[in-house]
Amino acid sequence: MTYVPKGSAADGPYAVAIDPKSAAWTYAGLRVVEIPAGGSHSFATGESEWIVLPLTGGCTVHAEGEIIELLGRGSVFSGVTDFAYVPRDAHIQIASGVGGRFALAGAKCERRLPARYGPAPEVPVEARGSGSCARQVRNFASADAFDCDRLIAVEVITPGGNWSSYPPHKHDEHRPGVESVLEEIYYFEIEGEHGFGYQRVFPSREGGTDVLAEVRSGDAVLVPDGWHGPSIAQPGHPMYYLNVMAGPGDEREWKICFHPDHTEGYR
């Protein structure tokens, strides 16, 4: 399933539970857990590294004898958040006095790195595109901003009526210095009760992924291959998406190829 509507990937405490097995690939995973005020959630990291990312609210992350306090945020539209990295082969507890919703962005990996705190002020924020293609990219765990083994993760805020993930691009071939192979998950939140957007993925080769999905808060789209973009926000309703990526390359890098038919006059 490439388009994952809200609720269709729920499992136990998780509103969203996408792992390599359910996605029919090898590395990338995403969970979203809602914790009530005064509640907690525990999980084993297994063979994956994870980033605990507050979507709403704050929490305390207990990992490897470390206690990491996350101030969090009111919503994904209110600004950048701090976050916690936790390693594979560990037991983690997330506790929240105020309650909240937390994304767990993960990737199956080999190296076991230490648990660490990611401060919000150190997250690089990029203004990408211009005009109707302007958007904000929060590179909290991009390949050059925060050390992970395989995981790459960023947040994007697209103003209402704008296009992002544009021009369409792909990362499904190993071409050293040009393109890297990365599985990718888009997880969406739309501002406003009735807000929606659209996500396009189309084939880069015969038989490749082909989907045009209307997306709403809590939906996800999987990108195992193919050209992806644009992501289109409904006028008046800013769109948020969390990108979770991981792949088999020896180097952890985000190398993409733009679709040649859609770059004229844009870049």
Side-chain angles (χ1 to χ4, degrees), residues 23-58:
W25 58 32
T26 307
Y27 298 100
L30 172 69
R31 302 173 185 173
V32 176
V33 62
E34 299 179 8
I35 300 177
S40 65
H41 172 69
S42 298
F43 70 102
T45 59
E47 296 180 311
S48 294
E49 58 187 344
W50 298 89
I51 282 179
V52 181
L53 181 78
L55 300 175
T56 63

Side-chain angles (χ1 to χ4, degrees), residues 125-193:
V125 178
E126 173 189 357
R128 187 177 295 173
S130 61
S132 61
C133 292
R135 64 272 199 190
Q136 181 192 82
V137 183
R138 303 166 179 169
N139 291 299
F140 69 95
S142 62
D144 55 356
F146 189 83
D147 188 31
C148 301
D149 187 25
R150 292 197 178 276
L151 177 64
I152 297 173
V154 303
E155 299 179 306
V156 179
I157 299 290
T158 306
N162 278 21
W163 285 24
S164 61
S165 276
Y166 191 81
H169 57 283
K170 73 182 186 76
H171 38 69
D172 58 11
E173 291 183 83
H174 176 62
R175 296 189 293 156
V178 177
E179 185 177 353
S180 54
V181 176
L182 293 168
E183 306 158 353
E184 184 165 14
I185 301 168
Y186 279 67
Y187 169 77
F188 295 91
E189 300 274 352
I190 313 293
E191 191 169 52
E193 182 179 359

Side-chain angles (χ1 to χ4, degrees), residues 42-267:
S42 298
F43 70 102
T45 59
E47 296 180 311
S48 294
E49 58 187 344
W50 298 89
I51 282 179
V52 181
L53 181 78
L55 300 175
T56 63
C59 65
T60 302
V61 179
H62 299 259
E64 297 291 280
E66 297 283 335
I67 299 176
I68 303 173
E69 298 282 353
L70 300 183
L71 294 177
R73 54 189 166 185
S75 82
V76 295
F77 299 102
S78 62
V80 177
T81 184
D82 50 1
F83 61 94
Y85 173 93
V86 296
R88 60 168 290 165
D89 301 318
H91 184 77
I92 309 301
Q93 183 189 63
I94 305 169
S96 180
V98 298
R101 191 171 70 257
F102 305 93
L104 308 177
K108 188 175 179 180
C109 66
E110 291 76 40
R111 289 192 300 153
R112 192 172 189 270
L113 303 178
R116 280 164 290 140
Y117 175 64
E122 295 182 12
V123 173
V125 178
E126 173 189 357
R128 187 177 295 173
S130 61
S132 61
C133 292
R135 64 272 199 190
Q136 181 192 82
V137 183
R138 303 166 179 169
N139 291 299
F140 69 95
S142 62
D144 55 356
F146 189 83
D147 188 31
C148 301
D149 187 25
R150 292 197 178 276
L151 177 64
I152 297 173
V154 303
E155 299 179 306
V156 179
I157 299 290
T158 306
N162 278 21
W163 285 24
S164 61
S165 276
Y166 191 81
H169 57 283
K170 73 182 186 76
H171 38 69
D172 58 11
E173 291 183 83
H174 176 62
R175 296 189 293 156
V178 177
E179 185 177 353
S180 54
V181 176
L182 293 168
E183 306 158 353
E184 184 165 14
I185 301 168
Y186 279 67
Y187 169 77
F188 295 91
E189 300 274 352
I190 313 293
E191 191 169 52
E193 182 179 359
H194 302 293
F196 63 88
Y198 291 94
Q199 176 67 44
R200 181 74 170 114
V201 185
F202 57 100
S204 59
R205 51 182 176 261
E206 187 174 354
T209 301
D210 192 351
V211 62
L212 173 59
E214 181 177 295
V215 293
R216 299 177 184 271
S217 291
D219 292 354
V221 171
L222 308 184
V223 186
D225 59 78
W227 303 102
H228 41 291
S231 304
I232 304 171
Q234 178 190 8
H237 294 267
M239 168 192 283
Y240 163 93
Y241 54 84
L242 169 62
N243 288 140
V244 181
M245 295 168 275
D250 293 334
E251 297 293 326
R252 176 178 169 255
E253 58 183 0
W254 185 68
K255 296 289 186 182
I256 64 172
C257 174
F258 289 106
H259 196 295
D261 295 345
H262 296 270
T263 55
E264 185 175 352
Y266 177 79
R267 299 186 68 82

